[in-house]
Structure formats: C-alpha cells, structure tokens
Amino acid sequence: MSDPHTTPGHSSSDEAPKDKKLSKMKILWSFLRNYKIRMALALFFLTIAATTVLVIPTALQGMVDNGFSNSDAQKVNDYFVIFLAIVGVMAFSTAMRFYYVSWLGERVVADIRKAVYERLITMSPEFFETNRPGEIVSRLTADTTVVQTIVGSSFSVWLRNVLIALVGTIWLFIQNPGLMTYVMIGIPVTIFILVLVGRRVRNLSRKSQDRVADVGARANESLAALNVVQAFTRENEESRRFSGATEEAFIMAQRRITVRSALTAGAIFIIFSSIAAVLYSGAQDVMQGTMTGGELLEFIIRSVFVAGAYGALSEVYSDLQRAAGAAGRLAELLAVVPTIKAPEAPVALPEQLSGQVSFEDVTFAYPSKLDYPALHEFTLNVKEGETVALVGPSGAGKSTVLQLLLRFYDPQQGKVSYDGINIQDCDPSEFREHLAFVPQETIIFADTVSENLRYGRLEATQDEIVAAAESASALEFIERQPEGFDTYLGERGTRLSGGQRQRLAIARAILRDAPLLLLDEATSALDAESERKVQLALDELMKGRTTIVIAHRLATVKKADRIVVMDEGRIVAEGSHEDLMQQDGLYKRLADLQFGPAG
C-alpha cells in the first residue's frame, strides 16, 4: 500500500524500490491485455509492413542486374509491377497498423483516465491534504497524453524498427558476411549507448513531468481564486510565480532534450559511419568483379534501412523512457488505497433509520496537524428528531464534528455511531445515503439548475425538484433565469450570486429527504430577507428529523432544541439559548458581541 501521506508526484525517480515494484510499463499491459484481438491485428500488419521494407532492396537488385536491358523489355515491366505491388502492400499494411495502434492508444488512455478518476473519487479529504489537486489533475491529463503518444504511436514504431533491425541484420549476414562485419562494429556500440544514456533520459523525463504538474497546479490554484488575486492586485506576482514554475519546467525539459539529442546524434553517427565503410568495401568488390552492382545496391539499401531502424530506436527508446516515467506516476495513483473504505463484511443498515447520533470519547487530529488535535475526548449524544446547534469561535472543532459524522475521516480514539451502529463498520456509500449535507463552501457544478438539484436524489421527478426549490426560496430567481431550470450555471456556478448558490445547495439537501440533516453555516451567504425565507423552510424541513446545525450567527440557532458550545475541541457548555444566556460563559460573550448586552 502506498503511503497516503507521501506526495506521489514528488517521489524521486532515483529512489529505485517503489519504481521497480511498479515495473514502469506494467500498468500499460494491465489495460492493453483487454484488447488482445486488436493487438494481434496491429502486430500482424506491423510485421507485414516491416517485411515489405526489407523486401524492396531485393526487387531493386533484380531491376539493376537483370531489368535494364533493351533485349528484354518485358523483364523491366515485370520488375516494376513487382516493385509497385510490394509498395502497395507496404502502404496498406502501414495504414492498418496506424489505425489499430492509434485505436489502442486512445482506448487504453481512456481506460486509464477512468480508472484513475474512479480511484481518486473514492479518496478521503485526507489524501488531498497532502497531495495537491492541481498536480493530480495534471497526471490525469498530461501524463495520460504522454502514455497515449507511446501506445498509439511510438511503441509500434519502436517494435517495427526492432523487427527491421533484427531481421535485416540476419538477412545481411546471410547475404554477405564480409561486408556485415563493418555494420556489426556499430551495432553493439549503439546498443550500449541506448542502455547507458536511456537511464538518464528516464530520470530526466520523470522530473520533467513533475515540473509540468507543478505548472498545472500553480495555474489551477491562482485561476480558482481569481477574484482574490485581482482584489489584492496580485496579478503581477502570480504571473511571476507562474513564470518561475514554467521556467523550471522548461529547464528540466531542456536537459532531457539535450541528452536525448546527444543520444540520437551518437547513434546515427556510429551506424552511418559503418555504412560508409560498407560502401567503400563493396565498391572495391564490384570493381574486382566479386559482386554485381545490383547486389551492392541491395546490400547498401537494406543496410540503410537497418541502420535507420537502429538510429530510430535511440530516439523512440527515449520516448519509451518518458512514457515509463508517466506510467509510473499514474501507477502510483492506482496503487493508493483509500483510508476510508468499507470493511470486508460491512454491517447492513436498517431500512428505516431514526437519525440518532453519538460521539463517544472521540479524539481526532487532521493528518497534516497530528500534534494539534481538533477534538479532545469529545462526547455528544443527539436524540431522534432533535435539533442540536454547535456554536463557538473559529477553530473550536465544529466543522470537524460534521467531517467525522460524514466519515471523511476516522477518529484516532473513540467512535461515532449512527442509530447505535459504529459508522466504521458500515459501507461509507450506503451510510451517506441516509444523510443530507449543506456545506459551508457552496458547491455548484457546471451543469443546469435541474441537474444541480437532482444531485441530491438522481431519481427525483421535475415536480419534486420544483417543490424543493420553492421550499428553499429559490424558485423565484430560478424562473427569472433565461431557460429556467434548464439554465446552464457555468463553472462553480459563477453566474449566480452567493446567496442564490446557497439556496440551491439547501434545495439539494431538501430533495435528499434524509433522516439526518447536517447544516454547516447554511445561511451564511444570504441577505436578511432571503435568510428569513430560508430559515422558515429549514424550520419546516427539520421537523421530524435529526438536525445538527453549525452557525456563527447565533440568531439562526435560537430555536434549536439544544445548543452545544465548543471551544478548543471540547464541549464547554450546553443548553437552550435562554439557559446559556443566564450563564456568564463563552456563549453569553459571543451573544453579547452579536446582539449587544441586551441580546
């Protein structure tokens, strides 16, 4: 299991153990093997294409030695027909190879993207505390694009050149062992350079991909907070930081390109120097009459094809090393195991849940702040149908209570129960279906109004959606939208005001119709009139169901059955608004700040 507290994107490529376990390209085979028939067809046409390349010199040899003669014009025609037939087969097989390998590349990358996303969507917030979402998205896009290039192009080119190089080398040995000696001088040297320098290219490729991910993370962070950037006039500063990240990515890519260019140049120089030696020696044989001109032409052309194949291998090998780095980064994501998951034998929840909640001696610290517990020996029991308000200063642990109840995290000590069942014994997905949540930071998806509301219950009818919107005091502004419930809301709901977004989030929770309702500052972004309307809707919604409310504005929690006052992760007082106001404690001080001494 990968350590979720280690940032996958920044593990050094020089740290061999993890990368060796992942075997770099093994991830690709795990997806490719699902399409064995298409792989076989691609390999078949690739073999035909490579074979025709090596056969062409033989046809040319026949033309030179036998075809160029006025005495037998028919032979000239026959050799050209054969030559065109070979070229036709090569063209068709190359096209088919391109089709199948390109299809495989697109298909495999689509499967990898889905698999990685399906893994990421199950990760708890704990994972994203230590791994930047922007960098993860870069892996999902940039790294998979690299893999697509390799699977859909470079790998087939590499395999084609391997076939040409190996079969061509054997053919040349059979054809003329003497001349082949010159070629064999360059081949071992080229292979040695490929292996030696290839490792360096792989390491640089991995580091280059990491820098590209940093660029994506930087852009994602600043653009997501564009209003803050512009409000504080930090456009130039953000541009400078982005430029810095971009330059670091460029410098790393430049190093990779430099090494790769040197590798290609060295391989090509060695191979074609060998070809020059072959040409010189062969010319001597032709002049001495031990070899025909056509045989020399055949050997030279085939040698050029073989040399070109070896030279291309040096370049494609670098691509494969780059893909190995990208595949390794993707494999790390696929290898991460969610810390919050269903047990092997999850406890089945009853069909009807009452909504009772209990925290028993819970102590919890966030993974990024293990030395600073957010809750200390926290105990709270909420009865069926009870409305409990959590109040207190920022950092008191109020939102942490909801985080644990939603089972985004598990406590280090104690347990959280729902209807007497420890939620750690349940399937998180099944358990969460029985609660509705309105977060402090309103989330609106880039979709229509209807689809955003239906997110609370996918099978909801349009009438139910309209009723939920009306209950949340959202119907009026929805109907004013250009296309009503079919209006597209844009990225993060940017076409709506903060209050409108919050009312949609409340309508989504109303539509959920769950026995347990969690409200985290549910009315914080509303104006006074909208807050009054929504509060009336919430009062109606809370009837008959268990509700836990977090609010800094105490006016919204006066009607709660019980107010729990928290400070530094502990309960310091609880009771009704009137009871707490009679105590000279934290709640009274908070109320006096908001309402004045007479509050």
Side-chain angles (χ1 to χ4, degrees):
M1 171 178 168
S2 298
D3 186 354
H5 306 309
T6 301
T7 304
H10 290 285
S11 60
S12 171
S13 52
D14 297 323
E15 297 173 4
K18 180 181 285 188
D19 282 351
K20 285 184 177 178
K21 287 180 182 179
L22 295 173
S23 301
K24 297 297 185 185
M25 308 297 279
K26 188 177 180 181
I27 180 179
L28 301 183
W29 172 245
S30 68
F31 288 93
L32 276 169
R33 64 187 178 191
N34 297 322
Y35 307 103
K36 292 179 180 177
I37 293 178
R38 289 182 181 267
M39 285 177 60
L41 288 170
L43 183 61
F44 171 75
F45 287 112
L46 184 148
T47 304
I48 297 297
T51 302
T52 53
V53 169
L54 293 172
V55 169
I56 284 177
T58 302
L60 293 175
Q61 182 265 329
M63 288 183 191
V64 172
D65 285 346
N66 303 307
F68 296 156
S69 172
N70 292 328
S71 61
D72 194 351
Q74 185 57 42
K75 271 193 175 182
V76 177
N77 296 336
D78 292 342
Y79 278 118
F80 271 104
V81 169
I82 293 171
F83 179 77
L84 288 175
I86 294 172
V87 171
V89 172
M90 181 175 66
F92 175 77
S93 57
T94 300
M96 296 305 294
R97 172 193 64 85
F98 175 80
Y99 171 80
Y100 282 113
V101 298
S102 297
W103 187 94
L104 283 169
E106 296 291 348
R107 181 67 268 167
V108 166
V109 164
D111 290 348
I112 290 176
R113 281 177 176 154
K114 288 192 293 185
V116 171
Y117 183 79
E118 287 169 4
R119 176 58 57 90
L120 291 175
I121 206 69
T122 65
M123 301 305 296
S124 67
E126 174 182 350
F127 177 78
F128 296 100
E129 276 189 48
T130 51
N131 295 278
R132 292 179 298 171
E135 182 181 347
I136 300 299
V137 170
S138 174
R139 295 195 192 193
L140 201 59
T141 54
D143 285 0
T144 51
T145 299
V146 172
V147 170
Q148 188 276 331
T149 301
I150 299 307
V151 178
S153 175
S154 297
F155 182 73
S156 71
V157 173
W158 178 81
L159 187 57
R160 171 179 173 272
N161 285 305
V162 165
L163 289 174
I164 292 175
L166 293 180
V167 176
T169 300
I170 295 171
W171 197 330
L172 289 171
F173 258 121
I174 296 173
Q175 183 179 350
N176 194 315
L179 292 179
M180 191 56 194
T181 303
Y182 295 102
V183 178
M184 286 306 298
I185 294 174
I187 291 176
V189 177
T190 303
I191 293 175
F192 175 76
I193 292 175
L194 281 175
V195 175
L196 181 66
V197 184
R199 294 174 182 172
R200 175 68 174 163
V201 172
R202 180 180 68 236
N203 291 339
L204 289 174
S205 296
R206 174 63 181 264
K207 292 176 181 177
S208 179
Q209 288 300 111
D210 286 344
R211 299 291 80 77
V212 171
D214 290 341
V215 171
R218 173 64 62 192
N220 182 70
E221 181 180 53
S222 56
L223 292 177
L226 188 61
N227 56 343
V228 176
V229 172
Q230 294 181 349
F232 285 90
T233 63
R234 289 293 176 263
E235 294 93 337
N236 291 337
E237 174 66 14
E238 289 300 326
S239 294
R240 185 190 63 78
R241 294 168 69 184
F242 182 80
S243 296
T246 304
E247 284 303 311
E248 287 182 12
F250 170 74
I251 291 170
M252 191 58 64
Q254 187 178 38
R255 293 178 186 172
R256 171 177 56 81
I257 293 168
T258 301
V259 174
R260 180 171 167 174
S261 299
L263 173 63
T264 302
I268 291 176
F269 176 78
I270 293 169
I271 291 296
F272 280 89
S273 294
S274 301
I275 292 297
V278 169
L279 184 59
Y280 176 79
S281 179
Q284 303 302 314
D285 291 342
V286 172
M287 287 187 290
Q288 294 173 10
T290 58
M291 175 185 282
T292 68
E295 289 172 340
L296 177 60
L297 177 65
E298 178 187 8
F299 191 91
I300 291 296
I301 293 177
R302 187 169 290 122
S303 296
V304 169
F305 286 158
V306 172
Y310 278 108
L313 283 177
S314 67
E315 184 173 346
V316 178
Y317 184 72
S318 300
D319 282 337
L320 293 177
Q321 293 301 324
R322 186 181 177 207
R329 285 160 50 92
L330 291 168
E332 287 175 0
L333 290 180
L334 289 171
V336 175
V337 178
T339 55
I340 304 298
K341 58 183 179 179
E344 292 185 4
V347 174
L349 294 171
E351 291 186 9
Q352 295 295 327
L353 290 168
S354 64
Q356 296 181 43
V357 172
S358 68
F359 288 73
E360 301 176 32
D361 196 29
V362 170
T363 296
F364 170 74
Y366 288 98
S368 58
K369 297 181 290 185
L370 291 175
D371 296 332
Y372 303 95
L375 293 179
H376 299 266
E377 300 177 351
F378 182 84
T379 297
L380 175 68
N381 293 293
V382 182
K383 296 180 291 184
E384 176 183 355
E386 185 180 16
T387 296
V388 172
L390 304 180
V391 301
S394 296
K398 305 183 298 297
S399 293
T400 301
V401 172
L402 299 194
Q403 297 273 338
L404 293 176
L405 188 50
L406 285 157
R407 210 191 162 201
F408 291 157
Y409 301 88
D410 285 335
Q412 284 87 22
Q413 176 185 313
K415 70 175 183 177
V416 181
S417 300
Y418 187 20
D419 271 23
I421 302 172
N422 188 339
I423 63 174
Q424 289 184 322
D425 297 332
C426 305
D427 184 328
S429 297
E430 181 184 359
F431 159 70
R432 290 168 186 157
E433 288 180 356
H434 298 281
L435 53 84
F437 178 48
V438 180
Q440 183 174 0
E441 183 180 350
T442 306
I443 302 299
I444 299 296
F445 298 97
D447 210 326
T448 64
V449 174
S450 287
E451 291 307 310
N452 267 280
L453 297 184
R454 190 175 278 115
Y455 209 80
R457 184 156 51 91
L458 296 179
E459 69 277 10
T461 65
Q462 189 63 28
D463 288 342
E464 290 173 325
I465 291 173
V466 172
E470 187 173 14
S471 297
S473 191
L475 186 60
E476 182 180 356
F477 80 80
I478 292 175
E479 290 180 337
R480 290 201 306 266
Q481 298 296 315
E483 298 177 56
F485 281 88
D486 294 325
T487 300
Y488 180 77
L489 297 180
E491 193 79 18
R492 301 175 67 89
T494 52
R495 299 182 182 181
L496 301 177
S497 68
Q500 290 172 335
R501 290 197 297 269
Q502 197 129 31
R503 278 181 275 174
L504 287 186
I506 293 170
R508 182 190 296 158
I510 292 172
L511 197 62
R512 183 76 160 180
D513 193 25
L516 177 60
L517 179 63
L518 308 178
L519 305 173
D520 189 357
E521 297 287 348
T523 61
S524 61
L526 302 181
D527 56 62
E529 183 180 358
S530 294
E531 181 179 0
R532 183 182 61 82
K533 293 179 180 178
V534 171
Q535 194 60 54
L536 291 173
L538 289 176
D539 291 343
E540 188 65 29
L541 176 64
M542 292 177 190
K543 289 180 180 178
R545 76 184 73 233
T546 307
T547 305
I548 299 178
V549 183
I550 294 177
H552 284 104
R553 290 157 66 170
L554 302 184
T556 62
V557 300
K558 281 184 175 182
K559 297 181 181 179
D561 297 321
R562 181 161 44 118
I563 298 173
V564 174
V565 186
M566 297 181 63
D567 191 23
E568 296 184 351
R570 293 182 171 87
I571 297 176
V572 295
E574 56 183 305
S576 66
H577 172 72
E578 291 74 16
D579 292 339
L580 292 171
M581 287 300 294
Q582 293 176 9
Q583 303 173 16
D584 189 17
L586 175 60
Y587 183 84
K588 187 175 188 304
R589 292 200 301 274
L590 293 173
D592 287 346
L593 288 172
Q594 292 190 27
F595 308 128

mmCIF file of all heavy atoms in Angstrom, residues 521-539:
data_model
loop_
_atom_site.group_PDB
_atom_site.id
_atom_site.type_symbol
_atom_site.label_atom_id
_atom_site.label_comp_id
_atom_site.label_asym_id
_atom_site.label_seq_id
_atom_site.Cartn_x
_atom_site.Cartn_y
_atom_site.Cartn_z
ATOM 1 N N GLU A 521 -23.153 26.322 8.439
ATOM 2 C CA GLU A 521 -23.303 27.727 8.029
ATOM 3 C C GLU A 521 -24.231 27.844 6.819
ATOM 4 O O GLU A 521 -23.914 28.512 5.839
ATOM 5 C CB GLU A 521 -21.936 28.332 7.696
ATOM 6 C CG GLU A 521 -20.975 28.385 8.861
ATOM 7 C CD GLU A 521 -21.355 29.451 9.882
ATOM 8 O OE1 GLU A 521 -22.211 30.289 9.581
ATOM 9 O OE2 GLU A 521 -20.795 29.436 10.989
ATOM 10 N N ALA A 522 -25.386 27.182 6.879
ATOM 11 C CA ALA A 522 -26.252 27.059 5.711
ATOM 12 C C ALA A 522 -26.859 28.369 5.253
ATOM 13 O O ALA A 522 -27.329 28.475 4.118
ATOM 14 C CB ALA A 522 -27.375 26.061 6.011
ATOM 15 N N THR A 523 -26.880 29.369 6.107
ATOM 16 C CA THR A 523 -27.473 30.654 5.706
ATOM 17 C C THR A 523 -26.463 31.793 5.742
ATOM 18 O O THR A 523 -26.842 32.964 5.728
ATOM 19 C CB THR A 523 -28.659 31.008 6.641
ATOM 20 O OG1 THR A 523 -28.175 31.130 7.981
ATOM 21 C CG2 THR A 523 -29.737 29.947 6.587
ATOM 22 N N SER A 524 -25.180 31.458 5.742
ATOM 23 C CA SER A 524 -24.157 32.488 5.942
ATOM 24 C C SER A 524 -24.072 33.478 4.786
ATOM 25 O O SER A 524 -23.661 34.619 4.978
ATOM 26 C CB SER A 524 -22.787 31.830 6.147
ATOM 27 O OG SER A 524 -22.431 31.078 4.994
ATOM 28 N N ALA A 525 -24.457 33.046 3.563
ATOM 29 C CA ALA A 525 -24.296 33.937 2.404
ATOM 30 C C ALA A 525 -25.603 34.599 1.985
ATOM 31 O O ALA A 525 -25.683 35.181 0.905
ATOM 32 C CB ALA A 525 -23.724 33.136 1.223
ATOM 33 N N LEU A 526 -26.623 34.547 2.848
ATOM 34 C CA LEU A 526 -27.925 35.088 2.473
ATOM 35 C C LEU A 526 -28.132 36.487 3.044
ATOM 36 O O LEU A 526 -27.650 36.822 4.130
ATOM 37 C CB LEU A 526 -29.038 34.168 2.994
ATOM 38 C CG LEU A 526 -29.001 32.713 2.512
ATOM 39 C CD1 LEU A 526 -30.179 31.949 3.092
ATOM 40 C CD2 LEU A 526 -29.010 32.633 0.999
ATOM 41 N N ASP A 527 -28.876 37.287 2.283
ATOM 42 C CA ASP A 527 -29.266 38.584 2.816
ATOM 43 C C ASP A 527 -30.386 38.376 3.830
ATOM 44 O O ASP A 527 -30.905 37.271 3.980
ATOM 45 C CB ASP A 527 -29.705 39.516 1.673
ATOM 46 C CG ASP A 527 -30.815 38.909 0.839
ATOM 47 O OD1 ASP A 527 -31.908 38.654 1.401
ATOM 48 O OD2 ASP A 527 -30.600 38.668 -0.370
ATOM 49 N N ALA A 528 -30.745 39.440 4.524
ATOM 50 C CA ALA A 528 -31.701 39.312 5.627
ATOM 51 C C ALA A 528 -33.034 38.734 5.171
ATOM 52 O O ALA A 528 -33.612 37.857 5.818
ATOM 53 C CB ALA A 528 -31.905 40.674 6.294
ATOM 54 N N GLU A 529 -33.543 39.200 4.016
ATOM 55 C CA GLU A 529 -34.847 38.725 3.544
ATOM 56 C C GLU A 529 -34.786 37.261 3.130
ATOM 57 O O GLU A 529 -35.649 36.459 3.499
ATOM 58 C CB GLU A 529 -35.308 39.587 2.363
ATOM 59 C CG GLU A 529 -36.701 39.185 1.855
ATOM 60 C CD GLU A 529 -37.160 40.044 0.681
ATOM 61 O OE1 GLU A 529 -36.424 40.976 0.285
ATOM 62 O OE2 GLU A 529 -38.263 39.775 0.168
ATOM 63 N N SER A 530 -33.738 36.909 2.362
ATOM 64 C CA SER A 530 -33.606 35.516 1.930
ATOM 65 C C SER A 530 -33.366 34.607 3.125
ATOM 66 O O SER A 530 -33.882 33.489 3.182
ATOM 67 C CB SER A 530 -32.448 35.382 0.930
ATOM 68 O OG SER A 530 -32.736 36.076 -0.258
ATOM 69 N N GLU A 531 -32.592 35.091 4.105
ATOM 70 C CA GLU A 531 -32.326 34.272 5.285
ATOM 71 C C GLU A 531 -33.613 33.960 6.038
ATOM 72 O O GLU A 531 -33.821 32.838 6.499
ATOM 73 C CB GLU A 531 -31.339 34.987 6.214
ATOM 74 C CG GLU A 531 -31.000 34.175 7.450
ATOM 75 C CD GLU A 531 -30.009 34.882 8.353
ATOM 76 O OE1 GLU A 531 -29.589 36.002 8.007
ATOM 77 O OE2 GLU A 531 -29.670 34.313 9.404
ATOM 78 N N ARG A 532 -34.479 34.956 6.134
ATOM 79 C CA ARG A 532 -35.753 34.714 6.826
ATOM 80 C C ARG A 532 -36.580 33.674 6.103
ATOM 81 O O ARG A 532 -37.132 32.755 6.709
ATOM 82 C CB ARG A 532 -36.529 36.039 6.927
ATOM 83 C CG ARG A 532 -37.841 35.926 7.690
ATOM 84 C CD ARG A 532 -38.569 37.252 7.694
ATOM 85 N NE ARG A 532 -38.897 37.704 6.337
ATOM 86 C CZ ARG A 532 -39.970 37.257 5.662
ATOM 87 N NH1 ARG A 532 -40.784 36.354 6.201
ATOM 88 N NH2 ARG A 532 -40.216 37.717 4.451
ATOM 89 N N LYS A 533 -36.626 33.763 4.748
ATOM 90 C CA LYS A 533 -37.404 32.793 3.968
ATOM 91 C C LYS A 533 -36.818 31.384 4.080
ATOM 92 O O LYS A 533 -37.533 30.413 4.263
ATOM 93 C CB LYS A 533 -37.440 33.216 2.500
ATOM 94 C CG LYS A 533 -38.205 34.507 2.222
ATOM 95 C CD LYS A 533 -38.155 34.863 0.749
ATOM 96 C CE LYS A 533 -38.915 36.145 0.459
ATOM 97 N NZ LYS A 533 -38.837 36.539 -0.975
ATOM 98 N N VAL A 534 -35.494 31.309 3.969
ATOM 99 C CA VAL A 534 -34.855 30.001 4.033
ATOM 100 C C VAL A 534 -34.966 29.412 5.435
ATOM 101 O O VAL A 534 -35.161 28.214 5.599
ATOM 102 C CB VAL A 534 -33.374 30.106 3.595
ATOM 103 C CG1 VAL A 534 -32.627 28.802 3.873
ATOM 104 C CG2 VAL A 534 -33.284 30.447 2.117
ATOM 105 N N GLN A 535 -34.877 30.251 6.447
ATOM 106 C CA GLN A 535 -34.978 29.756 7.814
ATOM 107 C C GLN A 535 -36.355 29.156 8.063
ATOM 108 O O GLN A 535 -36.476 28.119 8.739
ATOM 109 C CB GLN A 535 -34.699 30.887 8.811
ATOM 110 C CG GLN A 535 -34.454 30.411 10.241
ATOM 111 C CD GLN A 535 -33.260 29.483 10.321
ATOM 112 O OE1 GLN A 535 -32.167 29.820 9.879
ATOM 113 N NE2 GLN A 535 -33.465 28.300 10.894
ATOM 114 N N LEU A 536 -37.386 29.784 7.502
ATOM 115 C CA LEU A 536 -38.734 29.210 7.619
ATOM 116 C C LEU A 536 -38.801 27.840 6.942
ATOM 117 O O LEU A 536 -39.403 26.902 7.473
ATOM 118 C CB LEU A 536 -39.769 30.165 6.996
ATOM 119 C CG LEU A 536 -40.011 31.481 7.735
ATOM 120 C CD1 LEU A 536 -40.929 32.396 6.919
ATOM 121 C CD2 LEU A 536 -40.636 31.210 9.103
ATOM 122 N N ALA A 537 -38.158 27.741 5.765
ATOM 123 C CA ALA A 537 -38.125 26.461 5.053
ATOM 124 C C ALA A 537 -37.346 25.421 5.849
ATOM 125 O O ALA A 537 -37.746 24.244 5.937
ATOM 126 C CB ALA A 537 -37.510 26.644 3.669
ATOM 127 N N LEU A 538 -36.230 25.854 6.437
ATOM 128 C CA LEU A 538 -35.425 24.928 7.221
ATOM 129 C C LEU A 538 -36.167 24.478 8.482
ATOM 130 O O LEU A 538 -36.082 23.303 8.880
ATOM 131 C CB LEU A 538 -34.094 25.579 7.600
ATOM 132 C CG LEU A 538 -33.080 25.785 6.452
ATOM 133 C CD1 LEU A 538 -31.852 26.516 6.957
ATOM 134 C CD2 LEU A 538 -32.681 24.458 5.832
ATOM 135 N N ASP A 539 -36.902 25.406 9.108
ATOM 136 C CA ASP A 539 -37.682 25.035 10.288
ATOM 137 C C ASP A 539 -38.669 23.930 9.944
ATOM 138 O O ASP A 539 -38.862 22.977 10.716
ATOM 139 C CB ASP A 539 -38.422 26.262 10.837
ATOM 140 C CG ASP A 539 -37.465 27.284 11.452
ATOM 141 O OD1 ASP A 539 -36.319 26.899 11.740
ATOM 142 O OD2 ASP A 539 -37.867 28.455 11.616
#
